[in-house]
Amino acid sequence: MRIARGLFLPLLFVILVSQSEFAQGNNAQSVEDAIREQNRPIKPFRVIANIYFVGTHDLSSFLIVTAQGHILLDVGYEQTAPLIRDNIRQLGFRAEDVRWIILSHSHPDHVAGCAFIRQLSGAKVAISELDAAVVASGGRSDPGFKDFHWAPCLVDRQISDGESVSLGQTVITAHLTPGHTKGCTTWTTRVTQNSRSYEVIFVPGLAPVGRERLVGNPEYADIAKDFEHTFSVLKALKCDVFLAQHPSLFGMHEKLRRRRKSRINPFIDPTGYAGVIAEAEKHFREQLKRESATQQQFVGGERRQRVSQLASFD
């Protein structure tokens, strides 16, 4: 299977600027350009049953509609949130009827718009316990993005593995799949269309961010162990409808083109899901192998140096 082009690229603004120079001169302009590129508007659409895509060209946001109000999964940057509001309205729904904002992980391209949507709708916010502090602090507690801050947002519920958010007849369940962040969460739900039931998976990040190390990472010592757990979980989950927090990850634009020419819904894609997970795990293991070999060479060289130093005292 050909992997989605954006799967293993780091966050766009991480590529463009170093964190230490985030807000200075041309670098700040590069960040704004990157955000504008990710925020290119697209027409919102129905994915399946009561699930709608209301995000942008490169940032996913999903509206799950119920008779008792709506659930919104991920809210993009602060600049993305008004676009999400407008997309919800374009579909004929009220953004003010969002009752729950649920979040996949605490990177700013998925959570920074949280305060805007909460203020607009009064919605409650749910995110994993390990990522909650980043949202509540507006990014100030995130060691990975020290200079990228946004409006803090109150977190109403800190989700644990296996817990669910319910609204009307909709139940959406959290599966902790850490690695991309310590509290990264895969959400799943079940929908019915034309008398058939489908298992829907919303996949978050599947790779280390930027140049983040898997071996000897002082800020995330268990990152490799967490990714091992994540791939085990993802391979065990049943998937009919494959969605993700970046359109490139689940081939959204290509699937939209295919859907215009066919009555078959291309978002029903268990094979594509399995292929993406397998490819992500392959890249993870290749990076882990490279870093482990480098670490062994370093340790071996350091040991030889110490032996040489001791011998000099004989």
Side-chain angles (χ1 to χ4, degrees), residues 46-50 191-198 263-265 268:
R46 185 184 187 186
V47 177
I48 191 170
N50 63 332
V191 299
T192 301
Q193 183 166 288
N194 299 328
S195 301
R196 287 192 58 184
S197 292
Y198 299 93
R263 293 183 179 181
I264 298 173
N265 188 340
I268 302 172

Side-chain angles (χ1 to χ4, degrees), residues 115-162:
F116 179 92
I117 299 294
R118 182 188 174 90
Q119 183 176 13
L120 174 70
S121 63
K124 294 181 179 180
V125 176
I127 189 171
S128 68
E129 180 180 357
L130 290 173
D131 276 4
V134 177
V135 176
S137 69
R140 289 161 182 81
S141 67
D142 186 352
F145 300 97
K146 296 176 183 177
D147 299 310
F148 195 95
H149 300 155
W150 61 89
C153 185
L154 179 68
V155 173
D156 300 275
R157 185 173 171 192
Q158 296 184 20
I159 294 289
S160 298
D161 188 42

Side-chain angles (χ1 to χ4, degrees), residues 193-209:
Q193 183 166 288
N194 299 328
S195 301
R196 287 192 58 184
S197 292
Y198 299 93
E199 300 292 337
V200 184
I201 290 185
F202 302 89
V203 177
L206 292 175
V209 178

